[in-house]
């Protein structure tokens, strides 16, 4: 604990400056992340996703003509997943470049890892723990809806 008021005021100014710099870095990170996109292609299809991993463009090549619809569907899904994993990798690099090994930055990366896991991921990230969706004993709504959507 600091007993000198002038020293305490200097420490508070230092903390405030650090927080302002961190806020600026995160604002810059957010602006850069919103511009991200990724594309993955195969012989039959090409899929692009935006910064949220939502498909923004689906294209069929000439080779897709006459192909089995189930094959095309599987290729679309596989390309979408590859594009999303590529997006996750871009986000990881961007976060590390912008804010370093920051706890909040690691949570951002963890969110992308949970949403877009790779097929052969062997990553073990503490911040990417699976969400617990099991019903809580005191959750009356869950009992009422029996874990069914109330929208249908």
């Amino acid at each position: 604990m600091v007993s000198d008021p002038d020293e305490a005021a200097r420490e508070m100014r230092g903390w405030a400056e650090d927080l302002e710099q961190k806020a600026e870095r995160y604002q810059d990170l957010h602006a850069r992340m919103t511009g991200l996109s990724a594309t993955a292609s195969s012989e039959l299809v090409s899929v692009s996703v935006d910064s949220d991993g939502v498909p923004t463009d689906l294209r069929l090549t000439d080779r897709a003509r006459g192909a089995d619809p189930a094959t095309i569907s599987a290729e679309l899904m596989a390309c979408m997943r590859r594009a999303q994993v590529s997006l996750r990798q871009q986000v990881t690099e961007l976060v590390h470049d912008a804010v370093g090994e920051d706890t909040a930055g690691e949570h951002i990366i963890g969110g992308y890892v949970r949403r877009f896991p790779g097929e052969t991921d062997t990553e073990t990230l503490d911040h990417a723990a699976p969400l617990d969706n099991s019903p809580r004993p005191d959750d009356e709504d869950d009992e009422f809806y029996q874990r069914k959507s109330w929208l249908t």
Side-chain angles (χ1 to χ4, degrees), residues 22 25-26 28-34 36 87-113 127:
K22 186 180 254 189
R25 286 193 308 268
Y26 274 96
D28 178 56
L29 174 63
H30 175 71
R32 291 168 60 191
M33 282 179 63
T34 58
L36 291 179
L87 174 69
R88 183 196 75 198
Q89 293 166 343
Q90 289 180 50
V91 167
T92 300
E93 291 173 15
L94 191 60
V95 167
H96 285 150
D97 289 346
V99 298
E101 299 288 329
D102 181 83
T103 303
E106 292 301 316
H107 283 288
I108 292 170
I109 293 168
Y112 276 80
V113 169
H127 57 271

Side-chain angles (χ1 to χ4, degrees), residues 48-60:
S48 296
V49 296
D50 66 11
S51 61
D52 291 320
V54 175
T56 56
D57 189 35
L58 304 171
R59 295 185 186 255
L60 303 177

Side-chain angles (χ1 to χ4, degrees), residues 13-29 98-99 102:
R13 278 194 296 276
W15 288 340
E17 289 172 8
D18 287 346
L19 285 174
E20 286 177 15
Q21 290 171 358
K22 186 180 254 189
E24 288 174 11
R25 286 193 308 268
Y26 274 96
Q27 287 173 345
D28 178 56
L29 174 63
V99 298
D102 181 83

